[in-house]
């Protein structure tokens, strides 16, 4: 009997040591091997192939500082947790080359130094957010400035990204959800840009009255921050150099000749990318200073060129009940005029269609006197509408009389029956030349002598082009007090920033990028919210269940265990 007890002790000790060894081995393996299964329908926790490839090919450490540490409301904690989970997933593929920390900017610093540090964050591109936070042990709320953003550094260069995305018309949970959906794109794109030894070259076209002053300041400044930018005079230059990754036309006001269009056409045939911001009618915010004006055709003569590529900018103005405001005198109080912001249907707020990564999860885009854009049926060109009007809009054919007095009258909804009128279109495919069968041998020889390239009747590769029926989308207001504002800001309502800059940068990036990182913008997270009515009605029942079921389960387990124990030792 004694031998049997010793054997049992020995076996028990061996089993215990074996279990401990397995547990230690699993923990050691877990430190080096990681894996998980993404069971969400939308693959919420799965990185895109382009992101994984980017991280695996890092050749130097990427340091990331995230400014989302502290006692925040639930929404910001959720954003912080989602950011941490994403960066931990980045580490699975980037290894030691991905290093991140979470910081509370300005903590433990004197007020003067904290202010200076926060100013430096804003100068680097991190936008602050004014948050009301409940103070510890108090019922009162205090205002607190937070910086929901991150700084990414790589080989002495840095990029700043903002993690919180405001979206007008969406409830906070939906806006937060869209912010989480864009996290992978923002971090991956920032790292990709830092990796590039040479930034893409973008050409700003001149020669047809394009603006160069303060009203285009923010667009050019934004371009210079992320791209190489140079000007091209279409009239004086013999051709458009192929070194330009993309070119942009912004509100030309003078007629394009066949010679001008041939230069554009052959640039496109040789793989060049173009983005057009066209105002076909002579309507502008400056014209409103005269109160009434008539918007006429500018006579740009671009219809045949754009038609050949698959689009047409119409001679009209889009009006929309979903519109921005304009200050208007609505009466007088004593001898002082009473000014109020009034919606102005000629200032539509366009809705992103979410049909493409350029506009996925994007806010409304502010516009001024926009033209509608039609797509041409047929051909091998793929057309994608990027921006469109709301479901309550209309189109006025040119010439159009514009008067501020009409704003004082309440618009009749029955006049606004059009819906989803396109104003920005992406064209993709092998573009055909407008000049096929139109140039003689001598003209083709002269073209080749000037550009060093033979005439092409059709593009060799898949090309990209974006046509926008409003140049004011990338224009900026100029304040007498603060100078040029950023695009997407109404100087009479500067607290809200529309998504004009995001649309502009996404468009340029899509035209110039050579990787599919932008596809990560297509990620869409599904909100799985509780039915608040059911929660309210069944609150007591579920509280009882949550309290009673665990205790009941423990008691049941104890009774069963005691019964088995009694049966075992009773015999």
């Amino acid at each position: 009997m004694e031998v049997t007890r010793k054997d049992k002790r020995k076996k028990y000790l061996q089993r215990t040591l074996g279990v401990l060894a397995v547990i230690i081995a699993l923990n050691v393996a877990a430190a080096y091997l990681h894996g998980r299964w993404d069971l969400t329908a939308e693959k919420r926790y799965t990185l895109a192939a382009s992101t994984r490839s980017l991280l695996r090919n890092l050749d130097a450490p990427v340091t990331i500082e995230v400014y989302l540490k502290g006692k925040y409301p639930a929404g910001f904690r959720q954003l912080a947790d989602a950011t941490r989970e994403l960066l931990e997933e980045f580490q699975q593929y980037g290894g030691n080359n991905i290093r991140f920390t979470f910081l509370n900017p300005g903590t433990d610093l004197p007020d003067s130094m904290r202010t200076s540090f926060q100013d430096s964050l804003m100068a680097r591109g991190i936008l602050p957010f004014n948050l009301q936070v409940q103070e510890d042990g108090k019922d009162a709320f205090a205002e607190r400035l937070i910086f929901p953003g991150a700084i990414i550094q790589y080989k002495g260069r840095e990029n700043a990204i903002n993690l919180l995305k405001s979206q007008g018309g969406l409830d906070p949970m939906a806006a937060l959800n869209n912010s989480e959906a864009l996290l992978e794109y923002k971090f991956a794109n920032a790292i990709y840009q830092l990796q590039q030894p040479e930034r893409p070259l973008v050409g700003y076209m001149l020669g047809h009255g394009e603006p160069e002053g303060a009203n285009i300041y923010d667009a050019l400044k934004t371009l210079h921050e992320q791209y190489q930018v140079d000007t091209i005079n279409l009239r004086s230059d013999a051709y458009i150099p192929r070194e330009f990754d993309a070119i942009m036309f912004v509100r030309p006001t003078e007629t394009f000749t066949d010679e001008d269009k041939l230069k554009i056409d052959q640039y496109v045939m040789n793989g060049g990318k173009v983005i057009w911001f066209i105002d076909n009618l002579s309507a502008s915010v400056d014209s409103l200073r005269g109160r009434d004006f008539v918007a006429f055709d500018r006579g740009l003569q671009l219809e045949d060129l754009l038609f050949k590529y698959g689009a047409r900018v119409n001679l009209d103005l889009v009006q929309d009940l979903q519109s921005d405001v304009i200050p208007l005198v609505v009466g007088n109080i004593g001898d002082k005029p009473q000014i109020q912001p009034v919606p102005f249907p000629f200032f539509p707020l366009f809705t992103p269609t979410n049909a493409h990564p350029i506009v996925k999860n994007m806010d409304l885009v502010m516009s001024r006197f926009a033209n509608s854009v039609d797509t041409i049926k047929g051909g091998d060109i793929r057309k994608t509408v990027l921006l469109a009007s709301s479901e309550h809009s209309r189109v006025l054919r040119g010439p159009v009389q514009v008067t501020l007095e009409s704003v004082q009258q309440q618009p009749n909804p029955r006049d606004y029956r059009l819906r989803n009128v396109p104003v920005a279109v992406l064209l993709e495919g092998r573009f055909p030349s407008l000049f096929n069968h139109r140039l003689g041998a001598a003209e083709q020889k002269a073209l080749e002598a000037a550009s060093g390239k033979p005439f092409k009747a059709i593009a060799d590769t898949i090309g990209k082009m974006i046509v926008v029926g409003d140049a004011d989308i990338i224009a900026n207001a100029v304040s007498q007090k603060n100078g040029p504002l950023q695009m997407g800001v109404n100087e009479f309502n500067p607290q809200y920033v529309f998504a004009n800059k995001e649309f502009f940068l996404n468009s340029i990036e899509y035209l110039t990028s050579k990787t599919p990182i932008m596809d990560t913008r297509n990620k869409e997270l599904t909100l799985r919210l509780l039915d608040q009515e059911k929660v309210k009605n069944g609150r007591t029942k579920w509280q009882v269940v949550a309290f009673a079921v665990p205790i009941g389960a423990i008691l049941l387990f104890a009774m069963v265990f005691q019964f088995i124990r009694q049966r075992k030792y009773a015999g």
Side-chain angles (χ1 to χ4, degrees), residues 80-95:
D81 291 341
T83 303
R84 185 181 299 276
E85 289 175 359
L86 175 74
L87 295 179
E88 288 173 351
E89 193 72 11
F90 273 30
Q91 284 183 328
Q92 306 307 310
Y93 297 95

Side-chain angles (χ1 to χ4, degrees), residues 114-132:
R114 184 188 304 117
T115 302
S116 177
F117 180 69
Q118 291 177 345
D119 288 343
S120 73
L121 287 181
M122 287 187 280
R124 294 157 81 182
I126 303 295
L127 300 179
F129 187 89
N130 202 4
L131 184 69
Q132 285 194 338

Side-chain angles (χ1 to χ4, degrees), residues 406-424:
S406 62
V407 184
Q408 298 176 348
Q409 303 174 3
Q410 190 71 18
N412 187 348
R414 289 181 297 179
D415 295 334
Y416 294 80
R417 295 183 176 181
L418 295 181
R419 57 178 59 190
N420 306 327
V421 177
V423 292

Side-chain angles (χ1 to χ4, degrees), residues 308-430:
K308 192 68 176 180
Y309 299 152
R312 177 176 59 230
V313 181
N314 295 310
L315 295 170
D316 59 22
L317 292 180
V318 178
Q319 283 193 316
D320 202 320
L321 293 184
Q322 177 179 273
S323 58
D324 199 14
V325 298
I326 189 170
L328 198 67
V329 177
V330 295
N332 292 281
I333 299 179
D335 59 346
K336 295 183 178 180
Q338 185 180 7
I339 301 176
Q340 289 184 358
V342 179
F344 192 40
F346 283 108
F347 289 1
L349 298 176
F350 291 127
T351 304
T353 61
N354 277 348
H356 193 274
I358 291 175
V359 290
K360 190 73 173 180
N361 296 322
M362 205 172 73
D363 197 1
L364 300 174
V365 173
M366 186 179 77
S367 177
R368 300 296 188 246
F369 302 115
N371 310 139
S372 65
V373 179
D374 288 339
T375 55
I376 311 305
K377 292 183 179 180
D380 297 327
I381 306 301
R382 183 167 73 251
K383 298 99 176 174
T384 306
V385 176
L386 302 176
L387 299 176
S389 68
S390 75
E391 297 186 349
H392 305 284
S393 55
R394 68 175 179 176
V395 169
L396 302 179
R397 303 295 175 185
V400 180
Q401 183 173 9
V402 180
T403 172
L404 284 177
E405 278 72 16
S406 62
V407 184
Q408 298 176 348
Q409 303 174 3
Q410 190 71 18
N412 187 348
R414 289 181 297 179
D415 295 334
Y416 294 80
R417 295 183 176 181
L418 295 181
R419 57 178 59 190
N420 306 327
V421 177
V423 292
V425 174
L426 169 67
L427 308 173
E428 297 175 286
R430 293 183 62 199

Side-chain angles (χ1 to χ4, degrees), residues 559-571:
M559 293 171 60
V560 172
F561 179 78
Q562 186 66 21
F563 175 74
I564 294 174
R565 183 181 178 88
Q566 289 177 350
R567 287 280 304 270
K568 180 177 179 180
Y569 292 103

Side-chain angles (χ1 to χ4, degrees), residues 371-563:
N371 310 139
S372 65
V373 179
D374 288 339
T375 55
I376 311 305
K377 292 183 179 180
D380 297 327
I381 306 301
R382 183 167 73 251
K383 298 99 176 174
T384 306
V385 176
L386 302 176
L387 299 176
S389 68
S390 75
E391 297 186 349
H392 305 284
S393 55
R394 68 175 179 176
V395 169
L396 302 179
R397 303 295 175 185
V400 180
Q401 183 173 9
V402 180
T403 172
L404 284 177
E405 278 72 16
S406 62
V407 184
Q408 298 176 348
Q409 303 174 3
Q410 190 71 18
N412 187 348
R414 289 181 297 179
D415 295 334
Y416 294 80
R417 295 183 176 181
L418 295 181
R419 57 178 59 190
N420 306 327
V421 177
V423 292
V425 174
L426 169 67
L427 308 173
E428 297 175 286
R430 293 183 62 199
F431 295 106
S433 172
L434 172 66
F435 295 89
N436 190 24
H437 305 303
R438 289 178 55 180
L439 293 183
E443 293 172 305
Q444 292 189 27
K445 186 176 292 186
L447 173 67
E448 184 173 356
S451 65
K453 294 279 187 178
F455 172 79
K456 289 186 179 179
I458 189 169
D460 293 333
T461 59
I462 300 297
K464 304 174 185 177
M465 183 180 299
I466 296 175
V467 181
V468 184
D470 182 24
D472 286 302
I473 281 179
I474 65 166
N476 57 263
V478 180
S479 166
Q480 292 183 352
K481 179 180 179 182
N482 301 314
L485 306 177
Q486 67 170 302
M487 65 184 90
V489 171
N490 185 336
E491 64 176 309
F492 304 107
N493 183 28
Q495 291 77 22
Y496 193 83
V497 181
F498 292 98
N500 296 48
K501 181 177 290 189
E502 185 179 358
F503 172 73
F504 177 53
L505 288 177
N506 289 351
S507 298
I508 297 294
E509 180 187 341
Y510 185 74
L511 294 181
T512 59
S513 178
K514 296 177 175 63
T515 69
I517 283 181
M518 180 165 272
D519 289 344
T520 59
R521 286 183 57 88
N522 269 333
K523 180 172 284 189
E524 187 168 352
L525 307 186
T526 304
L527 277 174
R528 296 177 175 89
L529 303 177
L530 296 175
D531 188 320
Q532 296 301 319
E533 189 64 28
K534 289 184 178 179
V535 170
K536 181 179 179 180
N537 295 334
R539 181 177 180 179
T540 303
K541 178 183 73 174
W542 291 111
Q543 284 177 333
V544 172
V545 169
F547 178 77
V549 169
I551 296 176
I554 293 172
L555 293 175
L556 179 62
F557 173 78
M559 293 171 60
V560 172
F561 179 78
Q562 186 66 21
F563 175 74

